[in-house]
Amino acid sequence: MKVAVIGMGNMGRALSERLLAADHAVQIWNRTPGKAADLITRGATELSSPDDIDSDTEAVFICTADDRSVLDVAAPEGVARAGWPHSIVAVTSTVSPQTLTQLRELYGDRLVAAPILGAPRAVASGEATFVIGGAAVALEALSPVWQLFAGPFNAGTDPARASVIKLLNNQLLMTGLAVVTETVRVARAAGIDDETLTTLLQNSAMMPAGLRNRIPSLFDPQHAGWFTTRLGAKDLGHFLGLAPENTPLPVTQAARDAYLSVADNGWDSADITALVELDQRPQA
Ligand SMILES: NC(=O)c1ccc[n+]([C@@H]2O[C@H](COP(=O)([O-])OP(=O)(O)OC[C@H]3O[C@@H](n4cnc5c(N)ncnc54)[C@H](OP(=O)(O)O)[C@@H]3O)[C@@H](O)[C@H]2O)c1
């Protein structure tokens, strides 16, 4: 297929890598230029503007950070992008159902939601899963892409429903990790060394399997990782937005506040495991 990938952050780069490895023709664009020289070496073409995609581009994959950035890219001035008159527009970013509904009004059946379950390295290796939602004909047209990954998880014809399913998954991730970070902080304060604690987390039946890949990053003083505190807080905010008014969700609310607080405290671009530093600023 001939595709474009918009956003060369952790996810956009990983998706492009996977597509290039399968010999798809990949055009790339990032707001800040110069972040994907290695992908160009591997055959990607860099665009100077999202409008510059080739006219026979079959799909544009949007992989930017949040709702604002997705709308900036896909709906500048509040209208469908003039340079994308025919392509399917696939939003892989985790955004609110409302944003997808807004974009569907602009792009109609060409709008597909495709949020991703999995880390960037699982995207690059093909182990990640897309939650896909949109018109059957558009989902079918993208099957050469879905085939490069596990799944997909078909949420049906409404793109907003794919977003809801993704947000349910991320609430499990983010709240579960928040609990583990408190386990680590109290263990350390109680004098348990990191090696013993690592052994406990690796072996305890109480440790969610999906969090085990974050154990090294929990103990990394920089919390390098691959999914930032700000993005995690965004997802919990969207999850809270799904709940009917006056529905108390104190656990999720507290977790969201904690991720926001740590992001505001200097850990903005660190991994979500930086929550173990809740009351600490990064060392200069
Ligand atoms: N990382 C993960 O493990 C993971 C897993 C599942 C889902 N996701 C979701 O995937 C999406 C991308 O995540 P990521 O980890 O790739 O984020 P990231 O590494 O922080 O990259 C964010 C990207 O968004 C771009 N961007 C931000 N604001 C923009 C704007 N106003 N206009 C245009 N581009 C803008 C950035 O461009 P600049 O370089 O110019 O700043 C960058 O390319 C997010 O919605 C995230 O929640 C991430």
Side-chain angles (χ1 to χ4, degrees), residues 11 92 113-119 122-132 145-146 148-155 162 165-166 169-170:
M11 273 307 192
T92 74
I116 299 170
L117 303 180
V123 173
S125 66
E127 291 158 282
T129 299
F130 284 85
V131 185
I132 58 174
V145 173
W146 313 141
L148 302 176
F149 299 91
F153 186 140
N154 193 330
I165 290 166
K166 165 67 185 175
N169 182 78
N170 271 29

Side-chain angles (χ1 to χ4, degrees), residues 7-12 29-32 35 63-66 69 72-73 92-94 116 118-120 166 226-227 231 234-235:
M8 289 292 112
N10 289 314
M11 273 307 192
W29 180 83
N30 195 56
R31 177 182 61 174
T32 310
K35 285 202 173 170
C63 306
T64 60
D66 54 14
S69 63
D72 283 352
V73 164
T92 74
S93 312
T94 307
I116 299 170
K166 165 67 185 175
W226 58 88
F227 183 47
L231 293 181
K234 168 211 29 131
D235 291 358

Side-chain angles (χ1 to χ4, degrees), residues 180-181 192:
V180 173
T181 63
I192 304 297

